[in-house]
Each structure stands twice: as C-alpha cells, then as structure tokens.
C-alpha cells in the first residue's frame, strides 16, 4: 500500500488537486493499520528470533514462565497450562526434526542471553502474533477492498464511499482496538523485557545522520500538520534538527550498476542499467546511493522517532522518555540496533493511539453530512510532481514528470535504497554498511550479530549464508531464517 | 587474520540483498551492501497514463 499512497500523492501534486478531508483521514487510518501490522510482524516474525532462542525454551519451567509473563505483560493468555502447551508444541517440532518456522537458525549461539523462561514467553507471543496479524490485515479490507495491494485510492481521493457506514466503521474500530491492545499490552512489554537483557546493543549498530519526510497529515497544511514530523538530523545532533527539503536529495551511481557516475536529483534521475561484475572496489549493487546534502542518512522508525523527539512532539516524546527510563539507558543509546528496534515499537504505540482520534474525526464529519471523498481534476498537458511519504520502512519519495498527458520520467527513492545503498561517489558508506562496523562477531561461521543489525533495518529475510575462508577457500553454507 | 563473510541473499521483499563483511579481531571492520536485483519499474512506467502509476508501483 505504501507505494500506492506515494504514487497517488506524486500524481496529485503534479496535477494540482487537494483531496477532501475524509479522503485524507481514511488514508491515514489505512496507513496507521499498515504501521501496526508491519511492525508487529517485523518484531515477532522477522527479528525476534535474532534475540530469542527457541530451543532454549524447551528447558523452561512453565510455572516460572507464567509468573514472569504476568509480571511483564498484560497478555490476555497465559498461566501454567498455556505455557506447558506451547512448550509441548515446540517439543513436537523439535522431536519430529522439522522445526517449521523455527528451522535453520543459530540456536544455542553464545550471543543469546535470555533465560529459558523468557524464551518460552517470547515464542508463545510469536505464535499469538501470527493470529493477531491476520486480523490486523482485515482493517485494510474494510476501506481498501483487500490486502495486500489496496484498490480504493485514486488520484483525487478514495473510492470507498459506500463503506462509510456505522457498521463498517465499527468493524474497523473493533479490529483496531484488538490490535492496539496487543501493541500496548504485549509488544511494548516484550520489547522492554527482551531489551533489558541486551543493553550492550544500545552501543552497537548505530549510524550518524537521520532523515524523515514525515507522514500522516492531520490537515491540508503540510508539512506542519504531519503527525510524524518532517526533519533531518545531522551528526546525531538532536538540538540541530532542521526542516528537510526534497531539493537536497541526489542519487549517486558511482558504485552501482548504472551508466556514468553523476549524482542527480530524482527529477533529473536516469535509470540506465549497466550489469557488471560484483566488485567491492568498484561497482557492486543495483541500489543507487541516495544522499541528503551529500550525506548518507538512515531512514525508518529510528529516524522518525528521533526527528519527532527533537521537535518535541509530545505523543512520541513521552513514550521515548518512558522506555529509556524503564530500561535505565541514556537517550544516546537510541543511536543503535537496540534503539532502532525500540523506536519501531514506540511509533506503533503512538500512531496506533492516533488512529482512534482520526476515526472519530471521520465519524464527526459524516454526522455533519460531510460525505465528500473525492475532488475532481483535469490531466494537465505537462506537469511535475513529487510525493513525500514516511512508510513503515522509512522515507519514500516518488517523482513524476508528465508530458503530453503521459509519464515522461518517474523515479522512486525508497527506504531500502536510503538504508541499504552503497558507497557514494565520495566514498561515504551507506547507513547499513556504516552500522555494521564495530559489530562483535563471536563465531564467523554463525554471524548472528551481523543479522541482528541488518534485520533491525527491516529487510525481510530468508537467506543462505555462505561463509568463505580466504585461506582455505572452504565454503560453508548455513541456512538461516 | 581478516575474514570475509558473505550473507547472500538476505531479503525477499526488496529484491535479493547481499551483505559482505570483513572481520578482524572478532569485530566487523568493513561492510558492503549489495542489491542483487534490478528494479525496472521506472522504465515500465514511461509513456503510460499517470493514473496507472499508483497501481503499478504498488507492486514494487
């Protein structure tokens, strides 16, 4: 849905149409649901097993686990029989030799620090989150027709006018509440519980500069009304936060498989592929290297939360202060892998809370008889437009140039390119590259620590690891989830 | 003795991601991130009606 939103906004910007309030609110509600869904799935299903040893959970005492669980979270499930049952289910997996979703990982790695009871609790929440995320996705179906790939956004507004009934809105609120209860009563407590065993990761995996286009506009007034604000922070200087402008973006290709080595603004962007060898001293990737004022910038939850915090955004600041104080870590520990994972949860709480307010605003409009969801417009002969967004994974921009009512040029600068892009023309490392430097690796054949930081940026993973020893040229192939 | 580790592929959402790190003294001393698939969406969009862009780019 995120590129859908970005693209609709880019074309709307080009053709010069201002969407009605209700369309803006419905897009925010669906975008909020996307944040809830994506971040829950990322934490439990794509990232938690970097910190949680599933096999160790077999050694847990279900009684102690039940006590631990009731101390750390208000999860609606628990108790000794429940944890015994979960443990038996894991046992069945292990004994059958088929670990299913837990197959192929570094179980028993010395970098796992949780006691068996915490591991069992986390695995049970992994399983509960699988059920929950399926429900959360249904929010999209109500006003977006389906998930994935919604189809109710059009240039000028939304098309779900017939779904703006009390029944459909109540259905949305019901799903929202169940999801947000999980976020506040399970996800946040779990992040705090797991993080308390990994505080050293508050000093590992950090980057230097942070960019957020911001998103979730609460009026037509942008960027001022963005619930997640726009801004850029250079050299970790929160006090120096400043407004970000798309004019400062360039994309470098000197180390990427594209023709030439000029750094261009997306409006002047070229996509001329030039396949080549993988050469880390030369060109080594299909990603371009986006830069802001010539600097690499991390985008995503941590960037958004830091920018919001630096601007003094109340709804974010109070949760950040609470998390930092409960963990007993300094604010500077947020510049890290731990901070990135915590920030993802922090913004889920804040955005999830705001969704209720937006839904009430929509109901208020409908009650007043304001049912407008679309503004008409005409395709200009030529135009240029840009849609700036901040989606689950980070800052996303679409740039479109229209000529003779057709697309002449289109460029996307996506979160993964910002975070995972290569060195630029000036040799500056991309954010993920930079974040990995200094990471401890206890066992090069099982680089769990590297995966922790890479995963914390939220790429989805199903990978084979090839470990090459340059002395012996021996290749180890280790499958990891 | 520096060792190089290549983790490939890492992602299945934004194409195939390769991460290569150089390790010395138990720590990463250098890193390279490599996107292993070309995203041709920009080229697909040229010449099309701008209203097609949202539906096509959503499939990135």
């Amino acid at each position: 849905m995120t590129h859908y939103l970005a693209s609709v906004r880019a074309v709307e910007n080009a053709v010069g149409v201002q969407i009605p309030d209700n369309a803006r609110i419905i897009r925010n509600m669906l975008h909020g649901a996307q944040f809830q869904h994506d971040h829950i799935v990322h934490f439990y299903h794509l990232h938690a097993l970097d910190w949680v040893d599933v096999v160790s959970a077999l050694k847990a005492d279900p009684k102690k686990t039940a006590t631990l669980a009731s101390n750390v979270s208000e999860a609606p499930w628990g108790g000794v029989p429940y944890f015994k049952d979960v443990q038996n289910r894991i046992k069945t997996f292990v004994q059958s030799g088929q670990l299913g979703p837990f197959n192929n990982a570094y179980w028993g790695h010395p970098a796992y620090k949780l006691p068996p009871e915490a591991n069992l609790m986390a695995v049970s929440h992994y399983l509960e989150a699988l059920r929950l995320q399926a429900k959360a996705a249904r929010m999209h179906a109500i006003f977006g027709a389906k998930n994935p790939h919604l189809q109710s956004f059009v240039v000028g507004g939304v098309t779900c006018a017939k779904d703006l009934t009390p029944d459909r809105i109540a259905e949305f609120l019901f799903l929202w509440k169940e999801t947000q209860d999980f976020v506040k009563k399970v996800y946040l407590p779990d992040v705090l519980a797991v993080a308390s065993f990994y505080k050293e990761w508050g000093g590992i995996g950090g980057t230097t500069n942070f960019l957020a286009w911001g998103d979730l506009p609460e009026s037509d007034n942008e960027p001022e009304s963005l619930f997640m604000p726009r801004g850029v922070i250079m050299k970790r200087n929160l006090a120096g936060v400043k407004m970000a402008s798309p004019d400062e973006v360039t994309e470098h290709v000197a180390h990427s498989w594209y023709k030439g080595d000029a750094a261009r603004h997306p409006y002047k962007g070229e996509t001329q592929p030039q396949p080549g060898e993988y050469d880390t001293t030369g060109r080594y990737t299909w990603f371009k290297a986006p830069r802001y004022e010539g600097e690499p910038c991390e985008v995503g939850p941590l960037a958004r939360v830091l920018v919001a915090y630096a601007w003094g955004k109340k709804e974010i600041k109070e949760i950040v202060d609470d998390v930092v104080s409960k963990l007993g870590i300094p604010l500077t520990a947020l510049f890290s892998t731990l901070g990135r994972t915590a920030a993802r949860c922090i913004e889920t709480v804040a955005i999830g809370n705001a969704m209720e307010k937006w839904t009430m605003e929509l109901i208020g409009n409908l009650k007043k008889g304001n049912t407008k969801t679309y503004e008409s417009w005409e395709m200009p002969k030529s135009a240029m437009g840009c849609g700036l967004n901040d989606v689950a994974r980070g800052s996303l921009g679409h740039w479109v140039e229209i000529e003779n009512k057709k697309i002449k040029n289109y460029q996307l600068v996506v979160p993964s390119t910002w975070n995972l892009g290569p060195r630029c023309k000036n040799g500056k490392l991309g954010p993920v590259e930079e974040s990995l430097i200094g990471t401890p690796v206890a066992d090069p054949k099982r680089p769990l620590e590297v995966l922790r930081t890479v995963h914390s940026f939220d790429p989805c993973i199903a990978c084979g690891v090839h470990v090459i020893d340059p002395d012996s040229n021996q290749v180890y192939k280790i499958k990891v989830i | 003795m520096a060792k190089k580790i290549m983790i490939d592929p890492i992602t299945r959402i934004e194409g195939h991601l390769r991460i290569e790190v150089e390790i010395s003294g138990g720590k990463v001393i250098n890193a390279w991130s490599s996107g292993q698939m070309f995203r041709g969406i920009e080229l697909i969009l040229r010449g099309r009606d701008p209203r097609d862009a949202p539906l096509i780019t959503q499939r990135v």
Side-chain angles (χ1 to χ4, degrees):
Chain A
M1 94 151 252
T2 51
H3 287 287
Y4 191 32
L5 184 61
S7 186
V8 160
R9 285 171 170 170
V11 180
E12 281 165 353
N13 181 245
V15 306
V17 62
Q18 183 72 54
I19 63 170
D21 259 6
N22 291 338
R24 173 184 56 74
I25 295 166
I26 290 164
R27 287 182 187 180
N28 283 351
M29 287 160 60
L30 294 173
H31 198 183
Q34 178 81 15
F35 274 102
Q36 288 181 311
H37 181 268
D38 255 39
H39 286 357
I40 290 170
V41 169
H42 177 263
F43 179 68
Y44 286 98
H45 307 125
L46 302 173
H47 196 27
L49 301 184
D50 295 339
W51 314 97
V52 173
D53 186 338
V54 175
V55 173
S56 147
L58 292 175
K59 288 185 246 148
D61 174 354
K63 210 181 262 178
K64 283 189 196 159
T65 310
T67 311
L68 170 76
S70 61
N71 284 341
V72 304
S73 80
E74 298 171 61
W77 357 263
V80 182
Y82 170 83
F83 285 110
K84 262 190 192 158
D85 176 56
V86 173
Q87 200 174 35
N88 281 333
R89 285 158 69 191
I90 306 170
K91 223 174 260 172
T92 315
F93 268 129
V94 173
Q95 283 168 352
S96 73
Q98 294 182 341
L99 280 169
F102 308 125
N103 206 4
N104 300 324
Y106 302 131
W107 310 132
H109 192 288
Y112 282 119
K113 303 285 187 204
L114 297 186
E117 285 74 23
N119 282 317
L120 179 56
M121 180 184 80
V123 173
S124 76
H125 294 176
Y126 173 109
L127 297 170
E128 297 295 346
L130 275 176
R131 289 196 190 101
L132 191 274
Q133 61 84 27
K135 279 193 180 166
R138 282 162 49 194
M139 280 186 274
H140 276 175
I142 295 174
F143 299 121
K146 63 187 180 70
N147 172 301
H149 304 326
L150 280 62
Q151 49 192 41
S152 64
F153 298 175
V154 289
V155 176
V158 296
T159 59
C160 52
K162 297 281 184 206
D163 289 303
L164 302 182
T165 62
D167 280 2
R168 296 295 268 164
I169 295 171
E171 202 182 344
F172 184 91
L173 276 174
F174 186 80
L175 292 166
W176 162 79
K177 184 161 190 324
E178 190 173 347
T179 308
Q180 188 64 2
D181 276 353
F182 182 92
V183 168
K184 291 204 280 197
K185 293 179 181 174
V186 186
Y187 179 16
L188 180 59
D190 279 352
V191 167
L192 291 170
V194 172
S196 68
F197 288 93
Y198 291 104
K199 287 186 192 172
E200 75 274 20
W201 282 83
I204 301 167
T207 65
T208 310
N209 309 313
F210 303 88
L211 168 71
W213 292 136
D215 210 311
L216 304 165
E218 296 195 296
S219 81
D220 290 346
N221 196 14
E222 290 183 38
E224 292 78 2
S225 78
L226 297 174
F227 180 77
M228 292 305 289
R230 182 172 300 170
V232 61
I233 292 167
M234 290 296 184
K235 297 188 171 41
R236 301 189 176 187
N237 176 16
L238 295 186
V241 64
K242 55 181 185 176
M243 187 44 70
S245 160
D247 298 342
E248 302 301 331
V249 176
T250 48
E251 285 198 295
H252 292 235
V253 293
H255 288 281
S256 315
W257 289 313
Y258 297 96
K259 283 192 185 130
D261 62 358
R264 295 173 186 274
H265 185 271
Y267 273 141
K268 306 271 176 212
E270 289 181 357
T271 305
Q272 296 183 10
Q274 181 182 262
E277 293 299 310
Y278 173 78
D279 174 10
T280 51
T281 61
R283 297 180 193 258
Y284 60 93
T285 178
W286 284 113
F287 286 134
K288 296 177 181 178
R291 295 294 181 261
Y292 187 90
E293 290 177 342
E295 299 296 327
C297 290
E298 174 174 348
V299 300
L302 179 57
R304 280 192 291 265
V305 164
L306 290 174
V307 165
Y309 192 95
W311 287 125
K313 178 87 182 174
K314 188 175 152 287
E315 293 90 333
I316 292 288
K317 194 171 181 301
E318 60 190 23
I319 309 172
V320 171
D321 288 338
D322 186 46
V323 164
V324 166
S325 105
K326 278 184 178 146
L327 287 175
I329 54 171
L331 193 63
T332 49
L334 291 179
F335 298 110
S336 68
T337 296
L338 181 146
R340 197 170 293 119
T341 298
R344 186 170 288 110
C345 184
I346 288 167
E347 71 169 11
T348 315
V349 175
I351 294 169
N353 286 343
M355 285 170 70
E356 185 179 26
K357 181 178 72 175
W358 300 331
T359 311
M360 294 307 151
E361 199 186 337
L362 175 68
I363 294 170
N365 285 352
L366 297 172
K367 276 187 177 164
K368 281 185 283 181
N370 172 9
T371 55
K372 190 171 178 182
T373 53
Y374 177 78
E375 184 65 55
S376 55
W377 55 277
E378 271 180 38
M379 186 71 76
K381 205 159 182 295
S382 322
M384 287 170 104
C386 147
L388 296 181
N389 319 264
D390 238 288
V391 301
R393 292 203 169 98
S395 301
L396 168 65
H398 281 210
W399 280 262
V400 62
E401 185 179 358
I402 299 170
E403 194 179 75
N404 290 325
K405 304 193 176 193
K406 301 283 184 218
I407 295 170
K408 183 186 177 200
N409 195 10
Y410 202 102
Q411 292 289 323
L412 304 86
V413 185
V414 311
S416 288
T417 318
W418 281 103
N419 286 335
L420 296 155
R423 285 147 173 80
C424 59
K425 196 176 178 177
N426 307 322
K428 291 178 182 174
L429 275 61
V432 167
E433 295 179 332
E434 179 199 352
S435 74
L436 287 171
I437 298 200
T439 301
V441 179
D443 176 1
K445 291 177 192 168
R446 299 190 297 165
L448 175 63
E449 301 92 334
V450 171
L451 289 181
R452 282 178 176 168
T453 293
V454 175
H455 283 170
S456 74
F457 284 89
D458 189 10
C460 280
I461 293 227
C463 70
V465 180
H466 310 263
V467 183
I468 302 163
D469 186 325
D471 298 330
S472 64
N473 269 338
Q474 192 178 2
V475 179
Y476 305 92
K477 286 189 178 177
I478 306 155
K479 282 274 190 188
V480 293
I481 289 178
Chain B
M1 176 70 222
K3 249 183 210 304
K4 280 190 175 178
I5 299 180
M6 191 181 282
I7 308 176
D8 178 22
I10 285 197
T11 177
R12 61 180 164 199
I13 282 233
E14 307 277 352
H16 292 280
L17 175 68
R18 171 187 288 180
I19 296 283
E20 186 174 338
V21 291
E22 193 175 354
I23 296 172
S24 180
K27 285 196 167 171
V28 174
I29 56 165
N30 210 344
W32 296 269
S33 163
S34 169
Q36 292 284 301
M37 269 172 77
F38 174 62
R39 181 193 71 207
I41 283 279
E42 286 94 339
L43 305 181
I44 292 168
L45 288 171
R46 279 190 198 153
R48 299 190 75 112
D49 189 306
R51 287 169 296 186
D52 291 347
L55 291 163
I56 293 172
T57 56
Q58 183 168 216
R59 273 77 184 171
V60 162

